[in-house]
Amino acid sequence: MTANQNYIKLLDLASFRACIENNGHKMPKQTVTARKCDFFISSIADIKLDGLIDTPYLSDFFVIYYVTQGSINGINQLKSLQIKTDQIFFSKPGEIKTWQRLNGVEGYMVAFTLEYLLLQIQNKNFINTFDYLLPKAQRKFDLNTTEVLFFNGIFEEMLREFKNPKKHSIELIKSWIFVILIRANRIYSGQYKKEFLTGYKNSAQQTYSRFLIVLEESLKKLALGEITKIPKVSMFAEQLNINATYLGECIRKASGTSTKTIINKRIMLLAKCQLLHTGNNISEIGYQLGFDSSAYFIRFFKKFENVTPLEYRKHNSYNYAITGQSKEQKIAPMHAIL
C-alpha cells in the first residue's frame, strides 16, 4: 500500500474478480465496477497471476478455498494461515486481508455474497446455523479420501455449470454451495466435537452472531470513511430490535466478555492494520477510527498493547521489512492474506 493510501479499501466481489482477470497487476481504483457480480468460481490453476492483490482490503463476500495440490500461505486478520493439499478453508466477509496465489497450487476458489446465497430462502439467519462460521470456530478442515472425492465432484460440476450455464444453473450452483456448507459443518462437528457440543446453538449465540454481522458492517463503513465513529452499544441493539441490556447479557453468555470489549478489540485490529499498511500519521489514524483526539487514541491503544501506536508501528514495520512477520504472524511469511 502506498504512503498516501488513506483508508483500507472495501473490495467487492466484482472488483475482486476484475483483479484476478487483470492478472492481479492492479487494485481497481473504484470499489464499484460496472459489471455487478455476486458469485464467481475459478480453478486456482486457471488464475494467471504473475503478481498479487498486494494492498490490504476489506472484503464483503465469502470465499471458499479448496486446495487439491500444493499449498497457499497467507495471513488473515494479521494471523498466519496455510492451506495444504486436501484442505478446505472458509473466508468470511469483513476480514482484512490481501491475496496471492503461489506457483504450483491447484484446486478451486468459490466466492459469493451473502445476498446471493440467501435470496431465495425464507430463513435469513440460516447462515448463522453453521457452527464453523461463528466466532472463534475453526474454519479450515482436513479432508479424508471420501470427502476429497465428494468435494471434487461438487466443485467440478459447479465450475462446469458456471462456465457453460444452462436453464436452472444458478439454482443448481446455489444448492451445491449449501451442500458444501452443510457438509463442512458435519466435518466440523466430527473434528471439533468439544466446541460443537458446547455451544453456538442457543439464542445467546444466535444474537452474538447477528451482532457481529452488524458490527462488521459498521467497521467496513468506518474503514471506508463513510462514518466517523462506531455506533454505541444501544444503537447496535436497536438495529437488532432488542434492548441493550439483553444484548449485553447474550454477548457475555456467548463469548464470556462484554459487548464493548468486543467492539474495542475489533477497533484495535483495524488500528493495527492502518498502522502497518498505510502511511497515515497517528492523528489521522485516530481520527479515522472515531477518536476525538490523538491523545485519546494513544491512551486507548496503549491500554490494550502496552505500547504506543508509534512504538507498535516502528517495531512491527521493522519485522515486516526483515522477516515478513509481525508479532501476530508466527507461522508463515506474509505471502498473502486470505
Side-chain angles (χ1 to χ4, degrees):
M1 181 173 287
T2 59
N4 62 357
Q5 176 67 56
N6 291 325
Y7 298 100
I8 295 175
K9 288 180 178 291
L10 172 65
L11 191 63
D12 62 18
L13 186 48
S15 298
F16 180 73
R17 181 177 180 179
C19 285
I20 292 172
E21 294 179 340
N22 191 37
N23 289 335
H25 290 170
K26 288 185 178 181
M27 171 86 76
K29 293 182 179 180
Q30 301 296 326
T31 58
V32 178
T33 61
R35 179 177 56 175
K36 187 181 185 311
C37 180
D38 51 17
F39 173 82
F40 178 64
I41 180 173
S42 175
S43 166
I44 295 177
D46 289 340
I47 300 174
K48 307 299 184 183
L49 289 183
D50 297 323
L52 61 152
I53 300 173
D54 60 353
T55 56
Y57 65 91
L58 283 160
S59 64
D60 66 351
F61 49 90
F62 289 89
V63 184
I64 304 174
Y65 296 91
Y66 173 40
V67 175
T68 59
Q69 182 175 313
S71 66
I72 300 175
N73 293 328
I75 301 166
N76 185 56
Q77 301 283 66
L78 294 182
K79 293 184 179 179
S80 295
L81 172 72
Q82 185 177 52
I83 312 172
K84 300 179 182 178
T85 301
D86 296 340
Q87 288 185 334
I88 190 168
F89 173 74
F90 297 82
S91 174
K92 294 169 59 177
E95 295 177 334
I96 299 171
K97 61 195 81 175
T98 63
W99 190 89
Q100 179 185 23
R101 182 183 70 83
L102 303 185
N103 292 330
V105 181
E106 294 185 6
Y108 301 88
M109 181 192 68
V110 175
F112 56 92
T113 64
L114 183 61
E115 292 74 19
Y116 172 81
L117 195 62
L118 301 183
L119 187 62
Q120 294 182 339
I121 69 170
Q122 293 183 352
N123 181 7
K124 301 307 178 184
N125 288 319
F126 184 60
I127 195 73
N128 298 330
T129 65
F130 299 118
D131 302 84
Y132 59 96
L133 295 180
L134 292 173
K136 299 181 180 179
Q138 176 71 24
R139 286 186 276 129
K140 183 181 73 173
F141 309 112
D142 297 307
L143 305 178
N144 60 34
T145 302
T146 300
E147 291 159 349
V148 166
L149 291 173
F150 176 81
F151 281 114
N152 281 349
I154 288 183
F155 280 97
E156 287 173 8
E157 288 295 325
M158 195 184 303
L159 183 60
R160 187 177 297 113
E161 290 288 335
F162 179 72
K163 287 184 173 181
N164 300 290
K166 300 179 179 63
K167 186 177 181 180
H168 301 312
S169 286
I170 293 176
E171 290 75 17
L172 193 55
I173 288 172
K174 287 183 180 180
S175 298
W176 279 328
I177 293 176
F178 278 116
V179 168
I180 292 170
L181 294 173
I182 292 168
R183 188 62 174 259
N185 206 49
R186 292 180 179 177
I187 295 171
Y188 174 79
S189 68
Q191 294 185 10
Y192 302 93
K193 290 181 180 179
K194 184 177 180 181
E195 289 184 36
F196 184 79
L197 293 173
T198 55
Y200 304 131
K201 292 298 184 183
N202 54 41
S203 60
Q205 289 288 352
Q206 294 297 324
T207 300
Y208 181 28
S209 180
R210 291 171 57 214
F211 162 72
L212 289 176
I213 292 172
V214 296
L215 173 60
E216 295 299 339
E217 186 62 32
S218 295
L219 287 165
K220 285 191 289 186
K221 291 180 179 179
L222 184 67
L224 289 166
E226 294 178 359
I227 60 175
T228 58
K229 289 182 182 292
I230 288 292
K232 296 180 179 179
V233 173
S234 59
M235 296 178 68
F236 283 119
E238 186 177 335
Q239 289 184 60
L240 297 171
N241 295 316
I242 57 179
N243 65 59
T245 301
Y246 178 71
L247 173 62
E249 291 173 352
C250 289
I251 298 303
R252 188 168 292 280
K253 184 176 180 181
S255 69
T257 190
S258 69
T259 309
K260 188 64 176 176
T261 297
I262 291 172
I263 295 172
N264 287 342
K265 286 183 177 179
R266 291 295 288 111
I267 292 174
M268 275 295 298
L269 178 60
L270 191 53
K272 289 178 182 179
C273 288
Q274 293 278 22
L275 287 165
L276 294 176
H277 298 301
T278 77
N280 299 332
N281 63 43
I282 303 305
S283 296
E284 289 172 329
I285 293 173
Y287 177 76
Q288 290 166 6
L289 295 176
F291 293 90
D292 295 328
S293 69
S294 58
Y296 180 26
F297 172 55
I298 292 169
R299 289 197 302 272
F300 173 86
F301 193 95
K302 193 169 183 178
K303 178 182 177 181
F304 287 91
E305 281 294 306
N306 295 319
V307 295
T308 67
L310 187 58
E311 289 169 340
Y312 179 87
R313 169 179 269 174
K314 286 181 177 179
H315 176 69
N316 288 279
S317 295
Y318 175 80
N319 282 343
Y320 264 82
I322 301 301
T323 67
Q325 300 183 34
S326 72
K327 286 190 291 186
E328 289 83 2
Q329 299 156 2
K330 304 288 187 182
I331 300 173
M334 192 172 72
H335 295 297
I337 305 175
L338 301 176

